[in-house]
Amino acid sequence: MKKITVQFDSQLDALVALAKRLAKFENRFNLASEDFFTRFTKGHIEDSEEYAEWANDYRHYLSIRRELVHRLHNAA
């Protein structure tokens, strides 16, 4: 697997890019990322390279989203 590093100007830009990537997986496999991730982490879905990429994208998405929500709550 070739690893590519992409840098964004803001966390919001990164979140949008990840949401687009997740939507592609969801459309391709007709499964919401949240449902996929639950099944994947419980071992109900095989450990393929593509699924590992989807799971990592979803973890990254959740992490950035939590950080942005935290910042918004603290800004109020």
Side-chain angles (χ1 to χ4, degrees):
M1 173 195 310
K2 185 177 180 180
K3 186 175 181 177
I4 298 172
T5 302
V6 179
Q7 291 189 346
F8 295 95
D9 293 332
S10 71
Q11 285 186 312
L12 185 56
D13 290 341
L15 189 70
V16 169
L18 282 166
K20 288 179 182 180
R21 285 177 52 88
L22 293 174
K24 287 180 183 179
F25 283 117
E26 291 171 351
N27 290 332
R28 180 171 178 199
F29 295 104
N30 197 30
L31 184 63
S33 289
E34 183 177 1
D35 295 335
F36 156 77
F37 190 72
T38 299
R39 293 178 189 177
F40 182 79
T41 56
K42 289 182 178 181
H44 299 157
I45 294 179
E46 65 188 64
D47 272 347
S48 72
E49 186 175 316
E50 188 170 38
Y51 289 148
E53 183 178 340
W54 187 2
N56 287 333
D57 283 350
Y58 188 65
R59 283 185 189 103
H60 194 191
Y61 171 85
L62 291 176
S63 175
I64 292 172
R65 190 179 75 179
R66 274 191 298 269
E67 175 63 28
L68 289 173
V69 167
H70 177 75
R71 284 181 174 184
L72 285 171
H73 286 305
N74 287 337

